[in-house]
Amino acid sequence: VPTTVIGVTRARFRFPALTDVWLPLSGMPGLTTERQATRLLNAVVRVPDGRPLAGVGTLVADEATRFARQYPSTNAGLTFTAVPINDRFNGRLTDPVWLAFTGVAIIVLLIACANAANLLLIRAGRRGHEMAVRASLGASRARIVRQLLVESAALAGLGGAAGAAVSFAALRVVNGIIPDNTLPYWIAYRMDGRALAILCATTMATVFVF
């Protein structure tokens, strides 16, 4: 079909997933014969800077009311919802699946902390004579606790570094397994600054847990 090209996006832009070409909705085959109850469309809107999402939600709610009046047999009781595009495609952190993954991760981390704490308690029992000598030489309780915290921090740091190394290696394997052009362009598995910051914060928190 002869078609006029009115725009070209940047390289690798295939929004929302693996789309190569966008055509006007008016040219969709069978559009005029589709039933009113057929619901195939999502509208992607660029909201002006500074405009709150609540205002957009009000607008689409008004549109839903207008459609319900215009088409009562197919649109009565239906509502339109405006959500951020990240929530639409990636989900929210409060979704059950993300909460389940987070819960499992926390449980595994606590089990690891419990194991580390047991090993440290056993080691501390063997170091009772050393601690007694330190105390007799004038080391205060706070100083001994600081020493143990420093040792625990070193242990946690080594664990965090090992975890980061495993994560980088696993990401290379995962990214190598996934065939090209199977994921949306906006999904990329990588260790960025936020992931590393969370790793560091978790590593330091485990020092006080175990």
Side-chain angles (χ1 to χ4, degrees):
V1 179
T3 305
T4 301
V5 177
I6 64 171
V8 178
T9 64
R10 67 178 184 273
R12 297 188 70 250
F13 182 87
R14 305 180 70 184
F15 180 86
L18 300 174
T19 304
D20 291 311
V21 177
W22 284 93
L23 296 175
L25 182 62
S26 59
M28 189 177 78
L31 179 67
T32 58
T33 60
E34 286 286 355
R35 295 179 296 111
Q36 179 68 27
T38 303
R39 313 188 193 285
L40 302 175
L41 301 179
N42 289 317
V44 181
V45 181
R46 170 71 164 85
V47 179
D49 292 337
R51 181 157 194 171
L53 185 63
V56 180
T58 301
L59 289 177
V60 297
D62 293 342
E63 285 296 304
T65 302
R66 184 175 67 82
F67 271 87
R69 287 197 303 264
Q70 190 172 356
Y71 307 102
S73 61
T74 58
N75 283 63
L78 293 179
T79 58
F80 299 157
T81 304
V83 298
I85 197 167
N86 284 336
D87 292 353
R88 170 64 178 83
F89 288 105
N90 296 329
R92 294 172 294 182
L93 294 179
T94 55
D95 289 343
V97 62
W98 290 116
L99 293 177
F101 274 117
T102 303
V104 170
I106 292 175
I107 291 173
V108 172
L109 181 61
L110 291 177
I111 292 174
C113 287
N115 291 334
N118 287 331
L119 293 174
L120 290 176
L121 286 174
I122 295 173
R123 187 166 180 265
R126 296 175 180 174
R127 297 176 64 188
H129 179 69
E130 174 195 342
M131 296 302 169
V133 171
R134 290 180 181 276
S136 65
L137 292 176
S140 63
R141 182 186 299 270
R143 180 160 186 165
I144 293 176
V145 170
R146 284 200 302 270
Q147 175 188 340
L148 296 177
L149 281 176
V150 170
E151 294 174 0
S152 298
L155 179 62
L158 291 174
V166 171
S167 297
F168 279 109
L171 284 175
R172 290 179 64 89
V173 173
V174 170
N175 289 326
I177 292 175
I178 299 175
D180 293 336
N181 296 325
T182 56
L183 289 178
Y185 78 95
W186 39 266
I187 290 183
Y189 298 115
R190 61 178 180 266
M191 287 286 286
D192 58 9
R194 290 174 296 180
L196 289 174
I198 293 174
L199 173 63
C200 293
T202 304
T203 299
M204 290 298 98
T206 57
V207 176
F208 300 96
V209 174
F210 69 71

